[in-house]
Amino acid sequence: MSDQQKIDTKLIHAGEPKVRYGDAVSMPIFQSSTFEYSGQKDYHDIKYIRLNNTPNHIVLHKKLAALENGEDALVTSSGMAAISTALLSFLSSGDHFLAHESLYGGTHDLINKDFPEIGIECDFIDAADSSGWSEKLRSETKLIYVETITNPLLNVLDLKAVVNFAKENNLLSFIDNTFASPLNYRPLEHGFDLSLHSATKYLNGHTDIVAGAVIGSEELVTKVRHKLNHFGGALDPNACFLMHRGMKTLSIRMERQNSNSLAVAKFLETHEKVCKVNHPGLESSTSHTRAQELLDGYGGMVSFEINGNIDDADKFISNLTLFINAPSLGGVESLVTRPAQSSHSGMSIEERSAAGIKDELIRLSIGIEAAEDLIVDLEQALEII
Ligand code: PLP
């Protein structure tokens, strides 16, 4: 597969078997836990689902690597399996790393609650402002960890500075690229060492599986694969099949989600009952210039505050008819949630308020419906409060 091909073409054709299995146009599901021995010498090469090397895994690995121009990739049983396994492949007891202060709640908890138990320490930094980073460096600092677009405030971090700082200080740089998807940002092209995804979201796009992905150089991904083989977070072949099928439409879904979310954000920004809208495509966003420079699209997420309290926010949510009140994001259907009640409920009120996340903040994951219909729904729900 040529690196020159457009991502839309790679989504369909990259990684597909050269000789089709049984002439099947769609990749069949290989529902076999083990495979006949054919001379493998290395434990990690034995063909077995947990060793992440069935035909369903291999096709996904090749496709994911092609999408973000990596040498290699790995699918995992969830986004958290990708994140925890990747971090634990390069950090061990006594090590220290830096991470952006406002991360996905599960990652934040992993770093804050689980890692100290095994002797891994982290200092949180504001990855949008490089001024204080050097002071946090220690001789044990190994890595820097960020997200492309933060959740739920939708800021685009200073990704160029993160890569430069990592290179200057001999650190590995990892990025959770879930919110951007490979369509809007390809971290390895910008110098990041590993790109991580919750494939549960945009990559799969149909709200029917939980999966993760790791993309990077052959050397780093092999290290993560061996760790995953021992930790056991392999993706089941049925889920591999669904992820593979979902990924083929990523570009047309994401393009629609990019444009729908901007239309929704612009509508909300003009509404009298809305006091603040977060979306990197809005000129009012403090991340707008950076987003224009770094991203090929602004993503499908919008968050906002209404003129009112938590009860008003909950009333607004229950007035919506098209948006489903559910956590998660990135599917074809539009979802609404209050992060303080869902993705960020693991943080204390103090931690949330330090991160600028008000309890009444509402987050929308915009789907591929007609933008006009979504706006009509939002308008009627705002009118009732
Ligand atoms: N990263 C981000 C940005 C997320 O939003 C999520 C889940 O919501 C995760 C990682 C974790 O992914 P998963 O639920 O697939 O384990």
Side-chain angles (χ1 to χ4, degrees):
M1 180 66 35
S2 150
D3 278 359
Q4 305 308 317
Q5 273 178 344
K6 297 267 188 281
I7 196 165
D8 316 60
T9 309
K10 291 179 180 177
L11 283 163
I12 309 297
H13 294 288
E16 300 292 318
K18 290 211 171 62
V19 179
R20 296 180 202 290
Y21 294 105
D23 297 331
V25 171
S26 284
M27 178 73 189
I29 304 175
F30 284 79
Q31 196 64 58
S32 181
S33 59
T34 189
F35 292 72
E36 194 169 8
Y37 178 70
S38 56
Q40 291 87 356
K41 300 265 183 309
D42 189 280
Y43 168 74
H44 296 284
D45 293 336
I46 294 168
K47 287 204 165 183
Y48 186 61
I49 290 178
R50 182 177 40 77
L51 298 176
N52 302 292
N53 54 18
T54 74
N56 293 103
H57 291 94
I58 290 165
V59 73
L60 277 176
H61 296 164
K62 289 186 178 161
K63 200 179 285 291
L64 285 163
L67 296 183
E68 290 194 356
N69 296 314
E71 287 172 5
D72 202 357
L74 178 67
V75 280
T76 62
S77 58
S78 68
M80 284 311 298
I83 293 164
S84 57
T85 311
L87 287 170
L88 290 172
S89 300
F90 299 94
L91 296 170
S92 51
S93 181
D95 286 341
H96 170 257
F97 70 111
L98 302 175
H100 178 59
E101 60 201 2
S102 168
L103 294 172
Y104 164 63
T107 311
H108 190 273
D109 273 9
L110 172 79
I111 294 174
N112 238 359
K113 298 186 178 149
D114 300 304
F115 279 5
E117 288 174 10
I118 51 174
I120 299 172
E121 290 186 21
C122 177
D123 268 311
F124 290 102
I125 52 162
D126 176 2
D129 171 11
S130 58
S131 56
W133 302 352
S134 297
E135 288 150 36
K136 302 276 170 77
L137 279 177
R138 303 183 196 167
S139 54
E140 305 82 30
T141 311
K142 294 278 162 58
L143 192 148
I144 184 161
Y145 183 94
V146 296
E147 295 177 354
T148 317
I149 304 174
T150 62
N151 176 23
L153 297 179
L154 308 173
N155 290 314
V156 179
L157 300 174
D158 195 347
L159 304 177
K160 267 191 179 170
V162 170
V163 167
N164 290 339
F165 183 79
K167 290 200 191 309
E168 279 159 19
N169 294 290
N170 209 15
L171 309 178
L172 288 167
S173 53
F174 291 4
I175 183 164
D176 179 336
N177 196 35
T178 302
F179 271 46
S181 91
L183 206 80
N184 290 334
Y185 188 69
R186 290 165 298 285
L188 307 181
E189 290 175 6
H190 298 267
F192 278 96
D193 291 309
L194 274 189
S195 165
L196 310 171
H197 287 268
S198 167
T200 313
K201 321 296 189 214
Y202 292 105
L203 279 170
N204 176 60
H206 292 75
T207 323
D208 49 12
I209 58 161
V210 169
V214 179
I215 309 168
S217 67
E218 195 182 342
E219 186 192 342
L220 297 190
V221 174
T222 301
K223 243 186 135 180
V224 182
R225 178 176 297 118
H226 289 181
K227 195 64 93 179
L228 187 74
N229 289 349
H230 292 151
F231 285 178
L235 192 65
D236 177 82
N238 267 289
C240 286
F241 171 85
L242 288 171
M243 177 174 164
H244 185 179
R245 184 171 72 168
M247 274 169 61
K248 290 190 179 178
T249 55
L250 174 69
S251 66
I252 52 173
R253 283 187 282 106
M254 198 74 241
E255 278 164 17
R256 173 68 78 90
Q257 284 163 308
N258 282 342
S259 62
N260 272 1
S261 74
L262 189 57
V264 164
K266 284 184 172 163
F267 159 75
L268 289 170
E269 200 171 39
T270 58
H271 201 285
E272 58 185 15
K273 289 187 181 163
V274 174
C275 55
K276 186 168 192 304
V277 184
N278 304 305
H279 185 285
L282 291 177
E283 278 174 27
S284 58
S285 163
T286 51
S287 296
H288 184 57
T289 310
R290 193 177 284 150
Q292 274 185 314
E293 189 194 337
L294 293 175
L295 307 181
D296 293 337
Y298 301 117
M301 304 298 292
V302 185
S303 67
F304 65 102
E305 291 163 24
I306 50 169
N307 290 318
N309 55 26
I310 295 175
D311 289 343
D312 295 320
D314 285 339
K315 200 167 160 209
F316 163 79
I317 289 173
S318 58
N319 285 340
L320 290 165
T321 58
L322 287 179
F323 288 80
I324 303 164
N325 181 357
S328 199
L329 60 119
V332 290
E333 61 288 293
S334 292
L335 303 179
V336 58
T337 193
R338 206 156 55 71
Q341 201 177 52
S342 55
S343 55
H344 290 68
S345 58
M347 292 166 85
S348 66
I349 297 184
E350 294 74 29
E351 283 171 330
R352 276 198 300 271
S353 103
I357 304 165
K358 292 200 174 153
D359 279 12
E360 51 271 37
L361 184 82
I362 295 164
R363 191 191 76 179
L364 305 176
S365 169
I366 302 296
I368 64 168
E369 303 94 334
E372 299 89 307
D373 292 333
L374 296 176
I375 289 171
V376 167
D377 193 27
L378 292 164
E379 195 159 31
Q380 66 76 27
L382 281 167
E383 246 139 50
I384 306 174
I385 56 167

